[in-house]
Amino acid sequence: MKLQRKNRLRALSLGAVAVSGALALTACGSDDTGTKAGGGSSSTAKASSIKCDNAKGQLLADGSSAQKNAIDAWVKNFSQACGVQINYKGGGSGAGVTAFTQGQVAFAGSDSALKPEEVKASKSVCKGGQGIDLPMVGGPIAIGYNVPGVDNLVLDAPTLAKIFDSKIKKWNDPAIAALNKGVKLPDLKIQAFHRSDESGTTDNFTKYLKATTPDNWKYSGGKAWQAQGGQSAPQSAGVAQQVKQTSGAIGYFELSYVTDGMKAVSINTGASKPVAPSTESATADIAAAKVIGQGQDLSLQLDYKTKAEGAYPITLVTYEIVCDKGNKVDTLPATKAFLRYIASEDGQKVLSGINYAPVPDAIISKVRTTIEGLS
């Protein structure tokens, strides 16, 4: 049994490296996961490659549940190497930003960049500095569904908007049928699930709808769900669990939450064929992102309207939010060491094996430089 496990882990590790290499080449050209932290590919990093640099003690963090399993995998590797305990709650982007601006955590994770008022609030915590956004995790927002007998489903932005705004109520609706010719769609009620907590995943999903089909999605957007109707659940794991156990359900969450009993929608973007969510298709979209942050802030602008072949349009980038200056003296060494590791080549390779997309080279290189200047 030990030999079999060893061979299996070695195979998974090699697979993760291969996928990561492919994603890196792609990049140069241009709400939690189903794989549990600590499994298979999450252990690809070598302890000897992690620089602890006097890191010690305990770090508290909170935020994006979409990156929770990536954080768990990173924490396992980092803690084994450096002996630092990191407690990341994964309570959602809104909770993370609030905890950060109130000085309760060393860093926070958010699928949305800090708003101006949040940057202002952070200045009372970051003495002499402010909170900045460091893009660290990429990935597609999958539209997971549970429709008996339907293994392949194509939707587009207008149809998605009408489903999540309670305008389309049955799976055999003519609008859905038109996108899925030859597919036997059941006369089954649609059960649309959204996040009950403030979520960057919600923010990015609704930004996609607002950008691509404004006539069908008239809400202003943000971390809080605004449309009427539907059902809700907390965090990515909660929405995924509801979709998995509810016949006729549909919901949005990070790709790695698409587990047994669920399928993911392919999106008709206007390209020659629909695009399924994957690390490769998300990287193809994220690689075209533009840095719009000022100073040390590296917040990005994503292209939700892409029609590029093989580019999945509903993506998110999770930021680690930290003070550029004024970090607490007792947590700064561990914070820098952990961020340095997860932004490193080895840290980013971990993502490929657990259904996340590494941040493209041109962007992650800027992140590494910024981390070294944290004080």
Side-chain angles (χ1 to χ4, degrees), residues 212-287:
T212 54
T213 184
D215 290 343
N216 294 298
W217 196 261
K218 299 182 181 297
Y219 303 98
S220 61
K223 294 188 179 80
W225 185 258
Q226 296 174 328
Q228 301 301 308
Q231 301 179 64
S232 65
Q235 299 154 13
S236 293
V239 175
Q241 181 61 30
Q242 289 299 320
V243 173
K244 183 177 179 179
Q245 68 187 21
T246 306
S247 180
I250 187 170
Y252 57 91
F253 31 78
E254 212 280 331
L255 174 62
S256 44
Y257 284 102
V258 179
T259 57
D260 293 341
M262 255 195 291
K263 305 289 183 180
V265 170
S266 293
I267 303 299
N268 183 341
T269 64
S272 64
K273 60 182 180 180
V275 184
S278 69
T279 53
E280 293 90 345
S281 62
T283 297
D285 184 54
I286 295 171

Side-chain angles (χ1 to χ4, degrees), residues 94-119:
V97 171
T98 297
F100 179 76
T101 56
Q102 292 180 352
Q104 299 171 358
V105 293
F107 68 91
S110 176
D111 306 322
S112 298
L114 291 169
K115 297 178 180 178
E117 61 268 26
E118 293 168 340
V119 172

Side-chain angles (χ1 to χ4, degrees), residues 19 48 51 82 90 95 132 134 153 157 172 194 201 306 314 322 337:
V19 172
S48 60
K51 299 178 180 179
C82 302
I132 57 173
L134 301 178
L153 183 68
N172 61 350
H194 57 265
T201 309
T306 183
I314 319 176
V322 67

